Amino acid sequence: MTSTAHTSATAPTQHLDVDGNRYAYRRFGATGSTPMVCLQHFTGTLDNWDPAIIDELAKDREVILFENAGIGGSSGAVPTSIDGMTQHALRFVDALGLPKLHILGFSLGGFLAQNMAIARPDLIDRMVISGSAPEGGEGAGMDRPELVAIYVDATMPMSKKLKHLFFPATSAGQAAADAFVARLGMRTADIDPPAGPDVAPAQLSAMIAWANWKGDVAGKLARIPHRVLVTNGDNDTMIPTKNSFVLAAGLPNATLIVYPNSGHGAIYQYASTYVAHVREFLQQV
């Protein structure tokens, strides 16, 4: 196993041209084992991945941070459906020539992970789905008025939005939020463009349609035989925690971990513990 010297703070942004779209991505870490493709949350860019998670996971394997169409440094229009986002992700990994991969799907990224596993089961080895929901999941559209008011507030800095949305209003939660925001500031060069004004409406439209799906939730989840680690905080106010229980119950080969006194950003609040859980899951025989 060999490793690059790059980290979240230094890995260069690369671009891959596929079928008229230019996808931005960063790829670094230890080679020689199955790489992990990381699929980001609502309006998140390459710079929103937590170094405390990504850099640690990169010690064991390559991590590939992918930016879907129309986000940050990627070209094209932002898809208004999860299927559209899924197709872009599959074109990207096919163009990279990856024969097998793991997926870490956070929030919206977890929606894509499920569809990718169904569309291309032989491509996926294992998946980590955090802070997410099945198609048809209650509240998974994130369109409640109290949330939308924060999304559209142009006067609120992104750091403050993340603190409000991802962390509990406890002293421990806000201390974890401050530490997380500080870690995001470690990258000082080759900064990714922030999500533009078209991103949130398009992604919300896709997420609302996903949540409002009236199909067979259990039947769809049963079509995903892969090993899956499902995680969340015990009080996720963005994508309600109950959805993680539905995922764990419906996926045939799932493990569920719920972190205490935390919300949507539990993976950041418990970064070192989360990494240990993910690493153990990926290394299981």
Side-chain angles (χ1 to χ4, degrees):
M1 183 179 292
T2 59
S3 180
T4 69
H6 287 300
T7 66
S8 295
T10 64
T13 302
Q14 303 180 65
H15 295 87
L16 189 63
D17 294 308
V18 187
D19 297 334
N21 278 97
R22 192 173 210 216
Y23 300 115
Y25 69 102
R26 294 178 188 149
R27 182 175 186 174
F28 61 99
T31 59
S33 60
T34 304
M36 171 171 277
V37 174
C38 301
L39 305 176
Q40 187 57 288
H41 62 72
F42 171 71
T43 72
T45 69
L46 297 177
D47 291 341
N48 285 112
W49 286 108
D50 188 348
I53 293 173
I54 298 302
D55 290 351
E56 287 300 314
L57 292 177
K59 292 178 180 179
D60 299 323
R61 68 193 64 255
E62 277 192 298
V63 293
I64 302 170
L65 312 182
F66 168 65
E67 200 150 57
N68 216 305
I71 313 296
S74 291
S75 70
V78 182
T80 56
S81 71
I82 303 303
D83 285 342
M85 297 177 195
T86 301
Q87 289 306 311
H88 280 289
L90 288 172
R91 289 188 199 113
F92 169 76
V93 297
D94 284 343
L96 281 182
L98 300 178
K100 189 73 91 173
L101 55 91
H102 299 312
I103 296 178
L104 191 164
F106 176 43
S107 190
L108 170 61
F111 300 177
L112 276 64
Q114 294 169 63
N115 277 7
M116 290 173 71
I118 290 173
R120 298 283 297 281
D122 293 339
L123 177 66
I124 312 301
D125 187 356
R126 303 182 189 190
M127 300 192 296
V128 180
I129 298 178
S130 299
S132 196
E135 189 167 16
E138 184 178 345
M142 297 202 319
D143 56 341
R144 296 179 297 285
E146 65 274 17
L147 298 179
V148 175
I150 296 175
Y151 305 153
V152 302
D153 188 346
T155 67
M156 184 181 294
M158 179 55 69
S159 59
K160 191 171 182 180
K161 290 183 180 183
L162 292 172
K163 290 178 68 173
H164 274 291
L165 293 169
F166 283 5
F167 297 87
T170 61
S171 57
Q174 291 302 290
D178 289 337
F180 166 65
V181 169
R183 292 195 298 269
L184 293 187
M186 292 170 62
R187 189 177 181 94
T188 58
D190 188 21
I191 301 298
D192 202 34
D198 296 336
V199 175
Q203 290 189 339
L204 274 178
S205 177
M207 295 179 76
I208 292 167
W210 176 270
N212 290 339
W213 184 65
K214 302 303 182 185
D216 180 1
V217 175
K220 181 178 180 181
L221 293 176
R223 296 167 60 195
I224 303 175
H226 310 74
R227 292 189 185 183
V228 184
L229 175 62
V230 179
T231 79
N232 209 338
D234 63 353
N235 187 26
D236 188 340
T237 58
M238 295 189 72
I239 298 180
T241 303
K242 68 178 73 174
N243 288 292
S244 293
F245 287 91
V246 175
L247 282 171
L251 292 165
N253 202 359
T255 299
L256 173 65
I257 298 176
V258 177
Y259 298 100
N261 306 312
S262 58
H264 198 60
I267 66 172
Y268 308 135
Q269 188 171 338
Y270 291 93
S272 61
T273 304
Y274 178 75
V275 167
H277 287 150
V278 171
R279 180 173 283 137
E280 179 182 12
F281 168 72
L282 295 178
Q283 293 175 347
Q284 289 172 354
V285 177

